[in-house]
Amino acid sequence: MFIDTHCHLEDENFSVDRAEVLKRAKLAGVEAIINFGSTLQSSIAVAELAKNFSELYAGVGIHPEEIDAFDEKTCAKLAELATDKKVIAIGEIGLDYHWEKDSQRRMIQQKVFIEQLDLARQLNLPVCVHDRDAHGDTLKILQTEAKNLRGVLHCYSGSLETAREVWKLGWFIGVDGPLTFKNSAKLPEVVKAAPRDMILIETDAPYLAPVPFRGKRNEPAYVVEVAKKLAEVRVETLEEIAAYTTANAKNLYKIS
């Protein structure tokens, strides 16, 4: 059995066939799926979906590309959503410098990131971190502002050196479809070196579909393709990958 530890099933791409997508995931051996919000509206949506489907769980948070929607009331609203037992994490939060080049705007991203880390600490919840082209600042903030927190760097894209610092903090890395891409230069090296108890598998559906579905809409069933590639790279069996990545997900997110 597998757990897709990161996707976005509230996305409009699933509005027509969401129930069928969940059936396909179940047939593929995916026993649980964690949906993450990126805005307050999507956080409300993933929390609601988790109430309606037993296999779904939710994370709530404001994505770094959505910082304009963050104000002094946002954390209180996220905390209210987190009173539901199916809301098991704060995320997707973090830093994204890929599109944002303005230094002042990057500082605002950092401020919002830190405020949500503090919220996770207050709620005693794990964290899902988005880090795109911001590896140095993300690591620095985790080292200084995320003490006593646990979490994952979702869709890990940093170096092996950075990954080793992340593992020292007791944090996981999330592995997604890019592991299956021919241009995944650094990622195979990272996953080869990763301790078994520091890896999660994800889809980020509807984005980043793995080979052989690249270019199509991603969905939770395809997390099995990520697991297959992980088994190939690490020279392990698919059963081993399934067993320890599922155990890791249950350990981090307290899924029974």
Side-chain angles (χ1 to χ4, degrees):
M1 302 299 284
F2 304 89
I3 295 179
D4 180 1
T5 58
H6 192 111
C7 67
H8 302 279
L9 289 182
E10 86 291 353
D11 189 278
E12 62 183 10
N13 280 282
F14 298 106
S15 59
V16 175
D17 64 343
R18 190 174 289 113
E20 287 75 16
V21 167
L22 290 174
K23 287 178 183 176
R24 286 195 291 272
K26 187 174 183 179
L27 287 171
V30 180
E31 65 172 294
I33 300 164
I34 307 173
N35 275 319
F36 280 93
S38 56
T39 64
L40 188 58
Q41 183 178 7
S42 64
S43 293
I44 293 168
V46 296
E48 193 62 29
L49 279 175
K51 292 178 184 178
N52 295 330
F53 295 93
S54 61
E55 68 269 45
L56 294 185
Y57 296 86
V60 297
I62 308 301
H63 188 282
E65 290 183 300
E66 304 291 345
I67 56 172
D68 289 333
F70 191 94
D71 60 28
E72 67 276 3
K73 299 178 182 178
T74 303
C75 281
K77 293 174 182 175
L78 294 174
E80 183 179 347
L81 289 173
T83 59
D84 191 293
K85 64 181 181 181
K86 295 293 289 291
V87 176
I88 58 174
I90 297 300
E92 176 179 355
I93 68 175
L95 303 176
D96 192 317
Y97 293 171
H98 183 75
W99 302 113
E100 187 55 75
K101 308 303 181 186
D102 182 83
S103 60
Q104 289 300 113
R105 296 278 296 171
R106 288 182 174 186
M107 290 294 290
I108 297 171
Q109 282 193 15
Q110 292 176 32
K111 180 176 181 291
V112 171
F113 182 22
I114 291 168
E115 286 190 36
Q116 292 183 95
L117 287 172
D118 188 54
L119 174 65
R121 183 178 293 105
Q122 294 175 42
L123 299 175
N124 194 30
L125 288 175
V127 182
C128 176
V129 171
H130 173 103
D131 164 25
R132 190 177 186 192
D133 296 346
H135 309 313
D137 284 346
T138 298
L139 179 60
K140 182 179 178 181
I141 287 173
L142 293 183
Q143 290 171 330
T144 58
E145 305 290 341
K147 293 175 182 177
N148 303 316
L149 286 175
R150 301 181 73 217
V152 56
L153 262 65
H154 145 68
C155 197
Y156 187 78
S157 60
S159 67
L160 176 56
E161 291 72 23
T162 298
R164 286 185 170 130
E165 294 303 313
V166 171
W167 297 327
K168 284 180 186 177
L169 298 172
W171 281 54
F172 297 79
I173 61 167
V175 182
D176 303 56
L179 181 64
T180 70
F181 300 170
K182 288 182 179 178
N183 62 350
S184 63
K186 296 179 291 185
L187 194 52
E189 178 189 22
V190 172
V191 300
K192 280 180 187 176
R196 277 191 169 197
D197 59 353
M198 293 292 169
I199 310 176
L200 299 175
I201 53 174
E202 316 172 332
T203 61
D204 202 21
Y207 315 108
L208 298 174
V211 174
F213 305 103
R214 190 173 184 183
K216 300 179 181 179
R217 182 192 70 175
N218 202 358
E219 59 180 75
Y222 300 165
V223 79
V224 179
E225 300 302 325
V226 177
K228 288 177 181 176
K229 187 64 177 182
L230 193 58
E232 177 188 323
V233 172
R234 288 174 61 86
V235 195
E236 296 172 342
T237 67
L238 186 60
E239 290 74 19
E240 287 176 303
I241 297 292
Y244 69 71
T245 59
T246 295
N248 291 345
K250 290 181 176 181
N251 174 22
L252 177 62
Y253 291 118
K254 304 298 184 257
I255 300 172
S256 57

